Amino acid sequence: MENQTQNQKPAMLGDRRAANNAAFREKLRQMALPLAPLVQLTTGEIHPAFPGTLLNFWLLTDAQLEELAHFYHQRTPCRWTRHYPCPIAWSSGVPLEEKRRRIGRFIGLRGCETPIRVKSEEEILEEARLARFTDDDEVWRRKMRWYN
């Protein structure tokens, strides 16, 4: 009996947390989802840094994202750029998270679409005020056409 307890490996921290927390267990399952590799159109090769799982995607560095964009003809537009299923506009001057979002969209990940900007209440009120001012100004121009 004593040998059996000595041969057992201690539980990993992630295993212990997953046993107690359903949300953590679900997140681990999601991060382990495999990603289908994308092949380069000209050679049929897969980039060595192409993420094999969703977790690997989130761990890509800025340099790896740049390499992926170049390898798949997205960083420097050429005749192959638009032949991929979801071509992207690449810019090296954007933050890491924006690059990750664009590559995610390029490889077909859900949730990586271009975010829709939601206007604040103040912006909407300002736009309405400017529109009303423009409309009033136009009304006076038409009424006073002979005066100008």
PDB file of all heavy atoms in Angstrom, residues 15-16 65 98 104:
ATOM      1  N   ASP A  15      -4.643  21.168 -12.389  1.00  0.00           N
ATOM      2  CA  ASP A  15      -5.574  20.055 -12.178  1.00  0.00           C
ATOM      3  C   ASP A  15      -6.396  20.267 -10.918  1.00  0.00           C
ATOM      4  O   ASP A  15      -7.591  19.994 -10.894  1.00  0.00           O
ATOM      5  CB  ASP A  15      -4.802  18.734 -12.077  1.00  0.00           C
ATOM      6  CG  ASP A  15      -4.091  18.378 -13.375  1.00  0.00           C
ATOM      7  OD1 ASP A  15      -4.544  18.841 -14.439  1.00  0.00           O
ATOM      8  OD2 ASP A  15      -3.083  17.648 -13.306  1.00  0.00           O
ATOM      9  N   ARG A  16      -5.750  20.736  -9.867  1.00  0.00           N
ATOM     10  CA  ARG A  16      -6.477  20.965  -8.610  1.00  0.00           C
ATOM     11  C   ARG A  16      -7.499  22.084  -8.773  1.00  0.00           C
ATOM     12  O   ARG A  16      -8.623  21.990  -8.296  1.00  0.00           O
ATOM     13  CB  ARG A  16      -5.494  21.314  -7.486  1.00  0.00           C
ATOM     14  CG  ARG A  16      -4.676  20.120  -7.043  1.00  0.00           C
ATOM     15  CD  ARG A  16      -3.890  20.441  -5.801  1.00  0.00           C
ATOM     16  NE  ARG A  16      -3.116  21.659  -5.971  1.00  0.00           N
ATOM     17  CZ  ARG A  16      -1.823  21.779  -5.697  1.00  0.00           C
ATOM     18  NH1 ARG A  16      -1.155  20.770  -5.203  1.00  0.00           N
ATOM     19  NH2 ARG A  16      -1.193  22.918  -5.876  1.00  0.00           N
ATOM     20  N   LEU A  65       3.876  37.551 -35.027  1.00  0.00           N
ATOM     21  CA  LEU A  65       2.738  38.061 -35.790  1.00  0.00           C
ATOM     22  C   LEU A  65       3.204  38.725 -37.078  1.00  0.00           C
ATOM     23  O   LEU A  65       2.593  38.544 -38.138  1.00  0.00           O
ATOM     24  CB  LEU A  65       1.920  39.028 -34.934  1.00  0.00           C
ATOM     25  CG  LEU A  65       1.186  38.397 -33.748  1.00  0.00           C
ATOM     26  CD1 LEU A  65       0.690  39.476 -32.793  1.00  0.00           C
ATOM     27  CD2 LEU A  65       0.032  37.535 -34.224  1.00  0.00           C
ATOM     28  N   GLU A  98      -3.909  44.706 -31.594  1.00  0.00           N
ATOM     29  CA  GLU A  98      -4.528  44.930 -32.903  1.00  0.00           C
ATOM     30  C   GLU A  98      -3.956  43.954 -33.934  1.00  0.00           C
ATOM     31  O   GLU A  98      -4.686  43.412 -34.758  1.00  0.00           O
ATOM     32  CB  GLU A  98      -4.308  46.378 -33.349  1.00  0.00           C
ATOM     33  CG  GLU A  98      -4.863  46.707 -34.708  1.00  0.00           C
ATOM     34  CD  GLU A  98      -6.374  46.634 -34.789  1.00  0.00           C
ATOM     35  OE1 GLU A  98      -7.041  46.628 -33.749  1.00  0.00           O
ATOM     36  OE2 GLU A  98      -6.892  46.567 -35.917  1.00  0.00           O
ATOM     37  N   GLY A 104      -5.909  36.864 -36.108  1.00  0.00           N
ATOM     38  CA  GLY A 104      -7.020  35.992 -35.720  1.00  0.00           C
ATOM     39  C   GLY A 104      -8.123  36.007 -36.757  1.00  0.00           C
ATOM     40  O   GLY A 104      -8.677  34.961 -37.123  1.00  0.00           O
TER      41      GLY A 104
END
